[in-house]
Amino acid sequence: MGIIVKKVLIALALWCLVINTREIAACFVTERDALVALNASINDPDGRLSSWRGDNCCNWSGVRCSKKTGHVIQLDLGEYTLQGEINPSLAGLTNLVYLNLSQNDFGGVSIPEFIGSFKMLRYLDLSGAHFAGPVPPQLGNLSRLQYLDLSGSQMVTVDNFHWVSKLTSLRYLDLSWLYLAASLDWLQAVNMLPLLQVLLLNDASLPATNLNCFPQVNFTTLKILDLKSNTNLNSSLPSWIWNLSSLSELDLSSCGLSGEIPNELGKLTSLKSLALADNKLKGGIPRSVSRLCKLVNLHLSRNILSGDITKTAKSLLPCMKGLQILDLADNKLKGNLSGWLEQIVSLRVLDLSTNSLSGAVPASIGNISNLTYLDISFNSFKGTISELHFLNLSRLDTLVLSSNSLKIMMNHRWVPPFQLREVGMHSCLVGPQFPTWLQSQTRIERIDVGSTGISGMLPDWIWNFSSSLTSLNVSRNNITRKLPASLEQLKMLTTLSMRYNQLEGSIPDLPTGIQLLDLSHNYLSGSLPQKVGGRELYYLLLSHNFLSGVIPKNLCKMVSMEVIDLSNNNLSGELPNCWNKNSHLYTIDFSSNNFWGEIPSTIGSLSSLVTLHLSKNNLSGTLPTSLQSCNRLMLLDLGENNLCGNIPKWIGDGLQALVVLSLGSNQFSGEIPEELSQLHALQFLDFGNNKLSGPVTHFLGNLTALHLGRPEWDAPPFIEFMVYGVGGAYFSVYTNTLEATYRGRMLIFGKCYFLRSIDLSTNQLTGDIPSEIGSLSALASLNLSRNYIEGNIPEELGRITELGSLDLSWNNLSGSIPQGLKLLGMLSVLNLSYNDLSGKIPSGFQFQTFDELSYLGNVNLCGAPLSRICLPNGSKHRHRKLHQRFDMVTYLCMLLGFASGFSIVLVILISSAAARKAYFEFTDNILNKLHTEADLKLHFNRALAGRNLSMPTESQNSLTCYHFEGPPSPS
Ligand SMILES: *[C@@H]1O[C@H](CO)[C@@H](O)[C@H](O)[C@H]1NC(C)=O
Ligand SMILES: *[C@@H]1O[C@H](CO)[C@@H](O)[C@H](O)[C@H]1NC(C)=O
Ligand SMILES: *[C@@H]1O[C@H](CO)[C@@H](O)[C@H](O)[C@H]1NC(C)=O
C-alpha cells in the first residue's frame, strides 16, 4: 500500500515538474514523424491511439509538449494495451523527460537500447510490458533518471548492476520479478545511489552473496526496502540495515534469513511496517521494538521465535498505540494475553496462531473495536469464551479459536455485533447444541465446528446459507438423523465434511460445485446416487457406512477425482470397468465390501494411481496384466479375496514403486517369481494363506528397503491429501491406511509403510530358509509358519536386529535353535512350535521372556522353559530380567524412534519443518500453513505429482504415535 502511495507521489511530483498546464500550439515535424512511425509499427487493438492524427502532436493522447520549447517531453502510454514492436524512430524524441510504456504487451522483445539516449529522461516505467532478455547497459547513460520501474517481466535478466551504479539521481528503483541471479554486485551498485528512497527487489532471484560483508551504506535516505521472496539470501539479518535510519517500510520476508533479530532493530525509529515473516529467525523479539513508536504493521510469523510474549508486549506497550497488524503466527512464543492485548486498541489483525500461548483469553479483547481478523488457534488457551469477548467487535470478519481447550458458551439468544465470513472452533467445546448465534451470520462462507461436542440434529437454517456457504466441517460430533434430501440449493458449497457422526438415511443430492464430500463413518444407507456432485469432485469419501447396491458407471467419468474411498460398506456387484486415461485418481479404496467378479482391466489405464485397496471382497480370477502399467503404484492391497493363478512376474518388472504388496488370503498358486527381487522399495509383503508352492525364494535378501541404513528405510514415501480449512489452516482429508495383523493383533496403520514385514505363512512352500534373509536387518516381522520348510534355522537370522516377531511354527525344521538368536534384542514374539527341533533351548537375554508355548511339539527340545531336562545336566541359569517385555505398541513406536503405549495405533508422519497448523484428526497430518487463498486442491498434491510422489525429505524427521480413538494432541 505504502509503496503504491509513494510511487504515485513521486510520479505526481515529476509530472508537475514536467507539465505546465497550458500547452503550446504546434509540435516539431521531426517529433511528429517519430510518433507517426511508432503508431505505424505498433498494433493498437483498442484504438487507444486513434487521436494520433493531424499536425499538432502535442494534443495527441498520451503526448505532452514543453510550454517553453514546444518539444515532446512526455509520452505516457501506460496500459494502452499496445502490442508489437517499438519503432526505433522513437529515438527522435530527444527531449523526453517522462516515458511510460508499462502494462503493454511487447511480446518478449528486448528493451530497446535507444532508450539510453534520452539524456533528459527523469521518469521511466517499463513495468509489466512483456519485455525479455538482458537489460541494455545503455540505460546507465540516463544520469538524470529519478524513477525507474522495470518490474514484472520475469524474462528480463540483469547480469551485472554496473549500469545501475551510474544512475546517481535515482530515487525510486523497482526491479521486482526480474531475474537477477547473476547480479553479484547488486548491493555495491545500489550503494552508489545516495539519493535512493525506494528499493524494490521483490522475488528477483537475488544471488546468495554475503550481505554482511559490506562496508558502509551510502543510501541512508532509503525509506522503503523490499527484498521479499529472494529465498536464496541465506544469511543473517545484514547489519547495514540498522543504519537506514529513515526506513519506514522493511520487508525481508521469505529470504531464508537465520540467526536472531538484533537489538539494533530499535534504531529504525521511523518504521511503520516491518515484515520478517517466513524465515528461520530464532531467539526472542528484541526489547528495542519498544522504540518503534510509529509501527503499524508487524509481521514476524513463520519463524522460530521464542520467549515470553507477555514480557515483550509489556515493553512495547507505551509506544504501540498505533499498531494495526500483529502477526506472530507459527513461532514458539509462550506467555498469555492478559494485561496487554486490550491496550493495543488500534489492532485490526491479530494472528497468534500456532504458538505455545496459554492462560485465559481476556474478555477485554472485546474492546478492540477495529478488530477484523482474530486467529488464536493452535495454542494452549484455556477457559471460557462468552459474548463479552465480542462486545464491541462489530467489524470482526474472521474468528479462529480452533485447537485450544476453550469452552465457547454463548447465550443462545445472543445476536453478535459482527457478520463473520469465516469461523473456526475446531476441537473447542461448543456443544451439545449447534451454536444458534451462527444463524445471524448471513455472509458466512466457512464454518468449522469439527470435534466440538455437538449432538443431535443439525438445525434447518444451516442449509439456508445458500448464497455464501462454501465450506462446512461438522466432523467428529454426534450429529444424528437424516440430511435433507437435497443440498443443491447450496450453490457455493465446495467442501462438506461430516465424518464420524451418526447420520442416517441416504446420501443427499449435492450441488454441482462440490469438491470434497466426506460422509465417512456414519450410518448412511441406500445406494450411491447415479451422480455424486459435478465434474469438480476431487474427494469422495463414504467409507464406514451401510451403503448398498452397485457402483454407478458415472464414477469413471469424474475425471477430476483424486481419491475415492467407498470401503467398509455393503456395496456389491462387479467393479466398474470403464476407467480411462483422463483420470487423475491417486487412490481407490473399495475394500471391505461384497464386490465380486474380476478386477477390471481398465484399472490399468489409471497411470496416476498410487494406492489401490480392493481387499476383503469376493473378487475372483487372475490379476489383469494391464495392472503393470500402474507404475506409480506404491500400495497394492488385494488380500482376502478369491483371486487365483500365479503371482505374475510383471509385478517385479512393472510395479517397482511398490512399498506394500498384500495378496494374502487368496487362492494364488505356483512358485513365487524371482522377478520380485526388483521391488527395491518393498517393505511389506503378505502372501500368507494362499496355495503357493516351491522353495522359499532366495531373492528376499534383495529387498533392499528392508536393509537398515537405506535411505528408503528412513523416509518412506507417502501422499496425504489436504484441503484449506479456516483461517489459513489446512486439514487432512485422506490418509492411506492398511489393516495388518502383527503379533496376532489387528493394527490399523496410517501411512502404514512402517511395518516392515514378510508373511509367507500357510502355503505349501518347501526347501530351506534362505540364509540371505539375514541381510534384511530392518525387518520387524517374519512369518513362515504352516509350510513344509525343512533344514536348520539359519544362524543368520540373528542379524535381523530389528526383528520383533518370528514365527516358524508348523514346519519341518530340524537341528538346534541357533545361539545367535539371543542377539535379537527386540524379539518379543517367538513361535517355533510343531517342528522337529532338538537340543537345548538358548537361555538368557530375550529368551528369558518366552514360555513353553514357543516350543510346543518339538519332542527333542530341552531346557527351560520346558520341563524336559537336557542330558547331561546343564547348569541352571539365574533368571535375570534383562529386557522388559514390551507391549506391542511400545515396540512399534520404538521402531519409529519414539516410545508411547496404546493398544491400537496410528503411525503418523509429521512434517516438522516450517509450520504445524492442521487438524490432528484421526490420521490427520500437518502441513505448512500456507497463506494462499487456494481453496481446495493443493499445489501440494500437484507438487507431489511432479516429484514422482516423493516427499521432501528434510521435513520427515519426526514420528509420533496416536491412539486410534482418543483425541490426539500435537506434542
Ligand atoms: C558512496 O557513494 C559514492 C558516490 O556517490 C562512492 O564514491 C562511494 O564509493 C560510495 N561508498 C561506498 C562505501 O560504496
Ligand atoms: C478504527 O478505524 C478507524 C478508521 O477505519 C479510525 O478512524 C479509528 O481511529 C480506529 N480506532 C482506533 C481505536 O484506532
Ligand atoms: C457422542 O455421544 C456418546 C454417548 O452418547 C459419547 O460417549 C461421545 O463422547 C460423543 N461423541 C462426541 C464426539 O461428542
Side-chain angles (χ1 to χ4, degrees):
M1 193 84 91
I3 290 174
I4 291 169
V5 170
K6 191 84 198 171
K7 186 167 171 168
V8 168
L9 283 180
I10 291 185
L12 267 179
L14 284 162
W15 193 74
C16 294
L17 199 133
V18 172
I19 306 306
N20 287 313
T21 40
R22 225 160 34 86
E23 282 151 16
I24 205 157
C27 79
F28 288 85
V29 177
T30 49
E31 295 184 349
R32 200 187 72 103
D33 290 350
L35 290 168
V36 168
L38 173 71
N39 192 1
S41 76
I42 218 153
N43 189 359
D44 175 25
D46 291 353
R48 299 290 302 273
L49 302 181
S50 56
S51 68
W52 284 26
R53 271 188 259 112
D55 285 341
N56 190 357
C57 66
C58 296
N59 289 339
W60 295 358
S61 115
V63 182
R64 298 270 172 167
C65 301
S66 160
K67 195 176 70 173
K68 284 196 194 120
T69 65
H71 284 291
V72 173
I73 52 172
Q74 172 172 359
L75 190 55
D76 185 355
L77 304 179
E79 293 180 61
Y80 266 49
T81 60
L82 303 174
Q83 296 165 349
E85 241 177 270
I86 303 169
N87 194 304
S89 64
L90 198 65
L93 304 178
T94 49
N95 288 277
L96 266 191
V97 176
Y98 183 110
L99 177 59
N100 180 3
L101 299 175
S102 66
Q103 312 300 329
N104 287 296
D105 185 358
F106 297 115
V109 299
S110 307
I111 295 175
E113 290 176 7
F114 67 75
I115 291 180
S117 67
F118 295 130
K119 293 273 181 322
M120 312 293 284
L121 207 62
R122 297 195 200 163
Y123 182 101
L124 177 59
D125 186 352
L126 303 179
S127 63
H130 295 248
F131 287 110
V135 175
Q138 284 83 351
L139 293 194
N141 299 338
L142 303 173
S143 58
R144 298 189 183 192
L145 202 63
Q146 298 185 8
Y147 181 103
L148 176 59
D149 185 351
L150 303 179
S151 66
S153 297
Q154 276 158 340
M155 306 296 286
V156 172
T157 59
V158 179
D159 295 337
N160 78 64
F161 258 56
H162 182 64
W163 61 273
V164 177
S165 67
K166 297 198 290 178
L167 303 174
T168 46
S169 306
L170 213 56
R171 286 159 172 77
Y172 182 104
L173 176 60
D174 187 352
L175 302 180
S176 296
W177 302 291
L178 265 54
Y179 188 73
L180 309 183
S183 308
L184 298 173
D185 59 341
W186 70 272
L187 193 51
Q188 281 72 20
V190 168
N191 207 26
M192 307 299 264
L193 311 177
L195 304 177
L196 199 64
Q197 295 183 17
V198 178
L199 176 60
L200 311 177
L201 298 171
N202 192 331
D203 197 0
S205 310
L206 286 174
T209 48
N210 191 344
L211 289 182
N212 271 308
C213 191
F214 186 68
Q216 198 198 335
V217 272
N218 262 344
F219 49 93
T220 49
T221 48
L222 201 68
K223 295 197 166 69
I224 300 178
L225 176 61
D226 179 359
L227 304 181
K228 185 180 177 182
S229 296
N230 287 285
T231 47
N232 291 331
L233 291 184
N234 287 339
S235 116
S236 53
L237 278 162
S239 51
W240 48 266
I241 286 188
W242 317 124
N243 295 334
L244 303 174
S245 52
S246 312
L247 216 53
S248 80
E249 288 180 34
L250 174 61
D251 192 342
L252 300 175
S253 298
S254 306
C255 284
L257 300 173
S258 53
E260 303 200 2
I261 305 175
N263 223 23
E264 279 108 312
L265 174 65
K267 288 160 79 177
L268 303 183
T269 50
S270 304
L271 266 189
K272 288 188 180 145
S273 176
L274 173 63
L276 302 174
D278 189 24
N279 283 297
K280 291 172 269 185
L281 299 169
K282 59 176 200 272
I285 300 170
R287 292 240 166 155
S288 60
V289 260
S290 61
R291 277 182 266 146
L292 309 184
C293 288
K294 295 185 177 157
L295 210 58
V296 178
N297 304 333
L298 179 60
H299 297 272
L300 300 177
S301 60
R302 288 172 289 152
N303 279 292
I304 25 186
L305 298 171
S306 54
D308 190 329
I309 195 176
T310 325
K311 285 193 193 132
T312 320
K314 285 193 172 146
S315 68
L316 289 182
L317 279 172
C319 199
M320 283 266 187
K321 295 285 189 296
L323 197 65
Q324 294 188 10
I325 299 182
L326 180 59
D327 178 7
L328 303 176
D330 262 318
N331 279 292
K332 293 183 177 305
L333 298 167
K334 292 200 177 70
N336 60 54
L337 306 184
S338 300
W340 61 273
L341 186 56
E342 73 275 10
Q343 296 184 47
I344 316 180
V345 286
S346 48
L347 268 187
R348 290 190 298 109
V349 173
L350 177 64
D351 191 347
L352 300 175
S353 62
T354 319
N355 277 290
S356 303
L357 303 172
S358 55
V361 180
S364 50
I365 203 171
N367 295 327
I368 308 177
S369 58
N370 276 354
L371 209 56
T372 59
Y373 187 102
L374 174 60
D375 186 348
I376 57 168
S377 61
F378 293 88
N379 278 291
S380 304
F381 291 113
K382 286 201 192 71
T384 303
I385 301 280
S386 72
E387 304 94 279
L388 284 180
H389 286 85
F390 306 101
L391 203 58
N392 292 319
L393 303 190
S394 58
R395 300 185 182 195
L396 201 64
D397 168 272
T398 302
L399 172 64
V400 196
L401 305 171
S402 303
S403 288
N404 285 293
S405 305
L406 293 171
K407 196 169 173 182
I408 300 169
M409 285 184 57
M410 311 294 189
N411 186 310
H412 69 272
R413 282 191 303 264
W414 181 55
V415 179
F418 49 67
Q419 283 288 339
L420 295 179
R421 276 192 317 107
E422 300 194 10
V423 62
M425 301 186 279
H426 199 106
S427 307
C428 297
L429 182 61
V430 175
Q433 215 190 343
F434 195 88
T436 46
W437 58 269
L438 280 180
Q439 188 172 2
S440 63
Q441 304 298 297
T442 51
R443 295 198 301 161
I444 196 89
E445 291 170 19
R446 298 173 172 278
I447 301 177
D448 183 352
V449 287
S451 282
T452 50
I454 295 172
S455 58
M457 212 176 150
L458 282 182
D460 286 338
W461 49 259
I462 202 162
W463 313 119
N464 295 341
F465 292 127
S466 52
S467 57
S468 60
L469 194 65
T470 62
S471 170
L472 176 65
N473 183 349
V474 292
S475 59
R476 294 183 171 270
N477 284 294
N478 273 333
I479 311 283
T480 54
R481 315 272 196 90
K482 293 183 183 177
L483 291 172
S486 173
L487 300 179
E488 283 167 306
Q489 76 281 8
L490 295 169
K491 295 251 179 301
M492 309 300 287
L493 194 68
T494 58
T495 300
L496 179 62
S497 178
M498 305 187 74
R499 66 176 145 183
Y500 289 99
N501 278 292
Q502 292 150 27
L503 293 168
E504 294 164 21
S506 50
I507 296 168
D509 292 336
L510 292 154
T512 50
I514 193 92
Q515 298 179 350
L516 161 66
L517 176 67
D518 187 351
L519 299 175
S520 59
H521 298 268
N522 277 290
Y523 304 139
L524 296 170
S525 56
S527 51
L528 291 170
Q530 275 306 306
K531 205 164 164 290
V532 198
R535 290 180 66 84
E536 283 162 57
L537 190 62
Y538 296 106
Y539 307 108
L540 177 61
L541 308 170
L542 299 173
S543 72
H544 295 87
N545 279 291
F546 299 100
L547 300 170
S548 54
V550 299
I551 295 184
K553 279 209 164 158
N554 274 330
L555 213 58
C556 298
K557 297 197 189 118
M558 313 211 49
V559 290
S560 301
M561 193 102 81
E562 296 186 354
V563 179
I564 310 178
D565 184 0
L566 303 177
S567 64
N568 291 280
N569 277 292
N570 298 328
L571 297 165
S572 57
E574 290 192 76
L575 293 174
N577 195 5
C578 49
W579 305 102
N580 64 67
K581 283 201 163 47
N582 300 329
S583 147
H584 292 99
L585 271 169
Y586 290 116
T587 288
I588 292 179
D589 191 345
F590 292 156
S591 61
S592 297
N593 278 290
N594 302 317
F595 294 116
W596 49 270
E598 301 201 354
I599 295 176
S601 58
T602 51
I603 282 192
S605 43
L606 301 176
S607 54
S608 50
L609 205 62
V610 176
T611 56
L612 177 61
H613 302 262
L614 302 176
S615 60
K616 300 188 186 141
N617 281 293
N618 296 319
L619 299 172
S620 54
T622 56
L623 297 188
T625 49
S626 62
L627 204 57
Q628 63 188 302
S629 325
C630 298
N631 54 15
R632 290 176 145 197
L633 211 54
M634 296 194 324
L635 183 150
L636 179 59
D637 177 15
L638 306 177
E640 297 184 53
N641 279 293
N642 288 313
L643 299 167
C644 61
N646 290 338
I647 291 176
K649 295 185 165 78
W650 51 254
I651 291 187
D653 299 325
L655 305 184
Q656 295 194 5
L658 276 183
V659 178
V660 172
L661 175 58
S662 176
L663 304 180
S665 300
N666 278 290
Q667 310 286 337
F668 288 108
S669 54
E671 298 195 7
I672 301 174
E674 289 286 334
E675 282 77 3
L676 300 194
S677 64
Q678 298 168 57
L679 300 178
H680 293 303
L682 200 69
Q683 300 191 18
F684 183 98
L685 175 69
D686 181 4
F687 289 166
N689 202 11
N690 277 291
K691 294 177 174 159
L692 299 170
S693 54
V696 181
T697 39
H698 294 262
F699 81 77
L700 290 175
N702 291 346
L703 300 178
T704 48
L706 291 169
H707 294 191
L708 267 183
R710 297 279 307 183
E712 301 93 306
W713 190 83
D714 293 326
F718 70 94
I719 50 174
E720 172 91 37
F721 299 89
M722 312 282 294
V723 299
Y724 176 61
V726 168
Y730 280 79
F731 69 91
S732 160
V733 291
Y734 182 83
T735 307
N736 280 296
T737 60
L738 177 79
E739 293 179 10
T741 327
Y742 178 60
R743 299 177 45 184
R745 296 165 83 169
M746 177 102 99
L747 299 178
I748 302 175
F749 291 86
K751 315 232 177 53
C752 54
Y753 313 112
F754 298 102
L755 181 59
R756 296 171 298 271
S757 163
I758 292 177
D759 185 350
L760 304 178
S761 65
T762 320
N763 279 291
Q764 294 147 26
L765 299 172
T766 52
D768 296 344
I769 299 176
S771 57
E772 288 87 343
I773 282 188
S775 56
L776 305 181
S777 45
L779 193 65
S781 172
L782 176 63
N783 189 349
L784 303 177
S785 67
R786 293 175 196 270
N787 279 290
Y788 304 111
I789 300 170
E790 49 197 28
N792 295 338
I793 299 176
E795 188 77 31
E796 286 83 355
L797 288 190
R799 287 168 30 206
I800 310 183
T801 47
E802 300 286 310
L803 199 63
S805 172
L806 176 64
D807 189 347
L808 305 176
S809 63
W810 297 95
N811 277 296
N812 301 329
L813 295 166
S814 55
S816 58
I817 302 172
Q819 289 293 321
L821 297 192
K822 289 208 293 196
L823 302 176
L824 297 176
M826 297 284 217
L827 196 66
S828 57
V829 167
L830 176 69
N831 192 349
L832 303 176
S833 60
Y834 301 100
N835 278 291
D836 197 12
L837 298 167
S838 57
K840 184 174 176 305
I841 294 171
S843 55
F845 300 99
Q846 285 305 98
F847 276 76
Q848 293 299 126
T849 62
F850 306 127
D851 57 22
E852 68 264 24
L853 293 177
S854 298
Y855 311 106
L856 290 180
N858 290 283
V859 286
N860 294 320
L861 279 179
C862 63
L866 300 180
S867 51
R868 204 176 304 121
I869 292 181
C870 296
L871 296 172
N873 276 354
S875 56
K876 272 203 174 163
H877 293 268
R878 269 201 300 137
H879 282 237
R880 282 183 304 155
K881 272 256 180 241
L882 278 184
H883 295 259
Q884 283 187 341
R885 195 173 171 124
F886 299 113
D887 91 75
M888 163 204 58
V889 171
T890 310
Y891 167 68
L892 259 178
C893 293
M894 298 218 13
L895 282 184
L896 304 169
F898 270 78
S900 166
F902 298 108
S903 58
I904 310 177
V905 145
L906 291 167
V907 181
I908 300 186
L909 178 70
I910 297 174
S911 43
S912 73
R916 298 140 282 264
K917 184 167 178 176
Y919 299 116
F920 283 86
E921 254 200 66
F922 186 24
T923 52
D924 287 358
N925 189 17
I926 299 175
L927 183 74
N928 295 356
K929 177 182 169 188
L930 303 174
H931 281 258
T932 63
E933 281 289 319
D935 194 1
L936 203 75
K937 284 308 294 202
L938 325 191
H939 328 287
F940 185 55
N941 286 344
R942 301 276 167 240
L944 281 180
R947 267 187 242 148
N948 277 332
L949 298 159
S950 69
M951 275 296 288
T953 46
E954 81 276 6
S955 61
Q956 299 192 343
N957 46 12
S958 100
L959 294 158
T960 313
C961 296
Y962 288 112
H963 192 278
F964 177 51
E965 282 128 356
S969 56
S971 51

